[in-house]
């Protein structure tokens, strides 16, 4: 095609009608997300979320985008036969969630609400939160070697299970677990205290995940439902 080609007024009008239809009838885009390959989905989502519904603070476009989300989520729940696979796999839905939360409102929320807690962790240069027993084992062994101490209690080539059973490893891991718990609680307290600042779309998606889970798996325990919601909120 000639790079200097410009459609005439009739074709421009037809293209305008097409994009108006795609924007105002979210079911078409919802169907398209299930038909494209994973290698194509990111390009499609960039176009949909940053161009077709590019006005991120306009309530009408946000409503249409979330309607599309609802349709895609509902289809995902209907076609997933194992509860353990819900929203866990690398699917168009998971890619959609990632792209959606990277939009302006989600970034502003992170900056205004949790950035101070993130900075608090990053700025503590002496903080060591490694709790993998094998890595802690190697860390302690290396420390002894650096100080010229015997390493009889730290033979080479141990398994993860053997490292876990080492008393010195357990003694090193426990305070780190305690500190991780304190940090996690601070994050949770901050998020709960600012729950009204959470973007509407993110809260709405959390609600949809809960509603669809209860409908598809009515006997699912509350902890499992909360795990799905948390997986979206914290990981996406």
């Amino acid at each position: 095609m000639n790079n200097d080609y410009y459609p005439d007024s009739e074709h421009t009008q037809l293209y305008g009608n097409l994009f108006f239809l795609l924007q105002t009838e979210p079911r078409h885009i919802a169907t398209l997300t299930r038909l494209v390959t994973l290698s194509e989905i990111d390009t499609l989502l960039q176009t949909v979320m940053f161009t077709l519904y590019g006005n991120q603070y306009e309530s009408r476009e946000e409503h249409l985008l979330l309607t599309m989300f609802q349709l895609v989520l509902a289809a995902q729940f209907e076609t997933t036969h194992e509860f353990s696979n819900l929203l866990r796999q690398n699917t168009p839905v998971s890619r959609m969630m990632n792209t959606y939360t990277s939009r302006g409102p989600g970034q502003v929320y992170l900056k205004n609400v949790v950035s101070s807690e993130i900075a608090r962790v990053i700025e503590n240069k002496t903080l060591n939160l490694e709790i993998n027993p094998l890595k802690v084992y190697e860390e302690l062994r290396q420390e002894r070697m650096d100080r010229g101490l015997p390493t009889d209690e730290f033979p080479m080539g141990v398994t993860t299970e053997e490292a876990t059973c080492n008393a010195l490893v357990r003694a090193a891991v426990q305070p780190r677990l305690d500190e991780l718990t304190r940090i996690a609680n601070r994050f949770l307290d901050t998020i709960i205290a600012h729950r009204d600042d959470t973007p509407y779309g993110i809260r709405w998606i959390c609600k949809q995940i809960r509603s669809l889970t209860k409908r598809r798996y009515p006997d699912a325990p509350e902890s499992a439902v909360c795990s799905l919601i948390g997986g979206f909120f914290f990981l996406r």
Side-chain angles (χ1 to χ4, degrees):
M1 180 181 289
N2 189 334
N3 291 332
D4 295 328
Y5 169 78
Y6 294 97
D8 57 30
S9 58
E10 180 181 357
H11 284 89
T12 300
Q13 181 64 42
L14 291 173
Y15 276 116
N17 292 343
L18 171 63
F19 283 107
F20 179 79
L21 177 65
L22 291 174
Q23 185 193 60
T24 56
E25 297 288 346
R27 68 179 187 275
H28 300 304
I29 297 295
T31 300
L32 186 58
T33 61
R34 300 197 299 272
L35 297 176
V36 298
T37 65
L38 280 177
S39 63
E40 299 169 325
I41 189 66
D42 289 333
T43 301
L44 172 63
L45 292 177
Q46 288 291 321
T47 302
V48 170
M49 295 197 191
F50 294 98
T51 302
L52 195 61
Y53 300 110
N55 192 343
Q56 302 173 31
Y57 297 93
E58 204 275 317
S59 58
R60 172 182 170 275
E61 289 193 13
E62 184 73 359
H63 169 74
L64 292 169
L65 177 57
L66 292 176
T67 300
M68 187 267 288
F69 249 105
Q70 183 181 38
L71 294 169
V72 176
L73 276 172
Q76 178 76 28
F77 273 78
E78 287 300 319
T79 56
T80 302
H81 303 294
E82 296 291 335
F83 182 88
S84 58
N85 291 333
L86 275 174
L87 308 181
R88 306 291 189 191
Q89 300 169 319
N90 187 19
T91 64
V93 173
S94 63
R95 299 285 187 90
M96 284 176 60
M97 290 177 170
N98 287 339
T99 306
Y100 180 80
T101 53
S102 68
R103 300 166 88 232
Q107 297 304 305
V108 171
Y109 169 77
L110 285 177
K111 181 178 179 181
N112 292 343
V113 175
V114 299
S115 61
S116 60
E117 288 297 335
I118 294 173
R120 184 175 175 181
V121 174
I122 293 173
E123 290 167 2
N124 189 343
K125 302 301 183 183
T126 62
L127 189 63
N128 186 342
L129 299 175
E130 180 59 69
I131 59 173
N132 182 310
L134 201 55
K135 291 185 178 181
V136 175
Y137 181 95
E138 294 297 337
E139 174 189 316
L140 296 177
R141 187 177 191 279
Q142 187 62 47
E143 285 180 1
R144 285 181 169 254
M145 292 175 62
D146 293 342
R147 294 163 59 188
L149 298 175
T151 58
D152 298 342
E153 296 179 86
F154 295 92
M156 295 182 64
V158 299
T159 65
T160 300
E161 291 74 17
E162 290 171 331
T164 304
C165 294
N166 185 293
L168 293 175
V169 170
R170 292 202 302 271
V173 166
Q174 189 55 54
R176 298 177 186 183
L177 283 172
D178 295 339
E179 182 60 24
L180 275 171
T181 300
R182 284 190 290 269
I183 292 171
N185 283 332
R186 289 203 308 266
F187 272 89
L188 282 174
D189 290 342
T190 299
I191 290 168
I192 292 170
H194 294 83
R195 57 186 176 274
D196 291 339
D197 296 324
T198 306
Y200 170 79
I202 292 177
R203 285 183 284 153
W204 186 89
I205 292 173
C206 290
K207 180 181 178 182
Q208 291 304 308
I209 293 172
R210 179 179 180 81
S211 299
L212 289 167
T213 304
K214 287 293 188 180
R215 185 185 312 163
R216 184 77 168 83
Y217 301 95
D219 298 327
E222 190 69 15
S223 59
V225 178
C226 291
S227 177
L228 285 178
I229 296 171
F232 161 67
F233 192 91
F234 291 106
L235 301 180
R236 303 301 178 187

